[in-house]
Amino acid sequence: LPAALLEGFEWDADVRRYETIDELYSYAARVAGTVGAMMALLMGTRNADALARACELGIAMQLTNIARDVGEDAAAGRLYLPLAWLREAGIDPDEWLRDPTFNSAIASVVARLLEAADDLYARAGQGIAALPRDCRPAIQAARLIYAEIGRQVERMGMDSVSKRAVVSSRRKSLLMLAACGVAIQSPARSRAVLKPLPEVQFLLDAIHEAPFAHATAPQKRSLFGRVVWVADLFDRLAERDREMSLQNQRAPRGQANI
């Protein structure tokens, strides 16, 4: 898992672009699906369904980050939106990157990306039930807070070029309180068997082949404290990605900070 995460950082250092949503999933599986899988393992689960959903939740969060940061990424010379989707919307990726402006066409691509993220957030809900009871609220909180970023982008008319969506501290607190209810009542398990995204299968295979080492999240925290801990962790991971992007932009080609 750490090797896959580092590979994702290498792709960022190479300023890769992604032609299709499947290629973008492959990138997100490395930089975010790995984090979801590692957190599930730290919580002590080896349930195959839970691990698949954890990887997909990480991907959903990464898609949300991309949808939120279109303007900031463009200012750094980066474009993560699927190139095929841009062309279908009548946008030439290179021309748009030279002069990144918001319009209805770019809005349609952002909306499409958020829709893909929402599909994965819905799938992730099924995996939460397989986590230890005291870990469910923290992951549910992360799921709700990141999905809310997408809702904020929608409220802004999909303009993440000239604006940046922010979820207020008050709204985060309300979502974290709502997530704590998961500890009281287990989420309903879906009878449908969801196949993992093909792009995360290599992570699941690696986990299956590795020896089991049991670990848990910090045990001395209160229930609400764990929720805050996980939400803060994801915030710090997102901030790390932004800082690395800026560092790579400033570094000479071939000397990016990985």
Side-chain angles (χ1 to χ4, degrees):
L1 297 179
L5 179 61
L6 289 173
E7 185 178 33
F9 292 164
E10 290 174 354
W11 290 11
D12 265 336
D14 291 339
V15 197
R16 286 199 188 190
R17 297 185 193 176
Y18 305 97
E19 181 66 26
T20 66
I21 187 63
D22 291 340
E23 290 182 7
L24 188 60
Y25 285 157
S26 292
Y27 162 72
R30 285 161 173 78
V31 297
T34 51
V35 177
M38 285 188 278
M39 290 191 68
L41 292 171
L42 285 171
M43 291 175 180
T45 183
R46 298 277 290 198
N47 179 282
D49 182 66
L51 288 167
R53 303 292 83 78
C55 291
E56 292 166 356
L57 178 57
I59 292 176
M61 292 177 169
Q62 188 66 24
L63 297 185
T64 298
N65 281 341
I66 291 169
R68 177 192 60 191
D69 295 338
V70 174
E72 290 191 9
D73 287 334
R78 295 177 178 272
L79 185 59
Y80 291 97
L81 298 173
L83 302 181
W85 287 8
L86 291 168
R87 296 190 189 97
E88 289 172 17
I91 299 172
D92 180 284
D94 292 322
E95 289 185 5
W96 184 84
L97 195 57
R98 282 192 288 270
D99 182 22
T101 55
F102 176 73
N103 53 41
S104 59
I106 201 74
S108 69
V109 177
V110 172
R112 196 171 174 181
L113 191 63
L114 288 176
E115 183 178 351
D118 286 340
D119 287 343
L120 293 175
Y121 284 127
R123 290 168 64 97
Q126 180 171 321
I128 291 175
L131 293 173
R133 180 180 291 271
D134 60 350
C135 295
R136 294 172 195 160
I139 300 304
Q140 178 73 342
R143 174 175 174 255
L144 293 176
I145 290 171
Y146 265 74
E148 182 64 17
I149 294 173
R151 305 291 74 80
Q152 185 61 26
V153 172
E154 291 173 350
R155 295 184 195 105
M156 293 161 38
M158 303 297 176
D159 182 3
S160 54
V161 178
S162 62
K163 308 172 186 177
R164 189 173 193 269
V166 176
V167 178
S168 69
S169 298
R170 180 177 181 276
R171 181 60 178 158
K172 285 183 180 179
S173 296
L174 291 173
L175 291 171
M176 288 189 286
L177 285 170
C180 286
V182 178
I184 300 173
Q185 183 175 6
S186 300
R189 289 178 180 269
S190 171
R191 293 184 179 181
V193 177
L194 299 176
K195 290 185 178 180
L197 286 180
E199 292 77 17
V200 306
Q201 188 61 55
F202 79 107
L203 299 175
L204 303 177
D205 291 342
I207 294 169
H208 178 73
E209 295 168 3
F212 177 65
H214 183 78
T216 59
Q219 295 296 313
K220 293 184 180 180
R221 300 178 188 270
S222 65
L223 176 62
F224 189 73
R226 292 185 193 181
V227 173
V228 173
W229 173 71
V230 171
D232 180 64
L233 172 62
F234 279 105
D235 278 345
R236 285 186 281 118
L237 287 170
E239 186 62 27
R240 176 212 62 187
D241 287 343
R242 293 182 65 206
E243 290 177 356
M244 289 184 64
S245 177
L246 291 174
Q247 290 172 3
N248 289 338
Q249 180 190 9
R250 291 191 294 264
R253 192 63 181 271
Q255 298 179 17
N257 296 283
I258 301 175

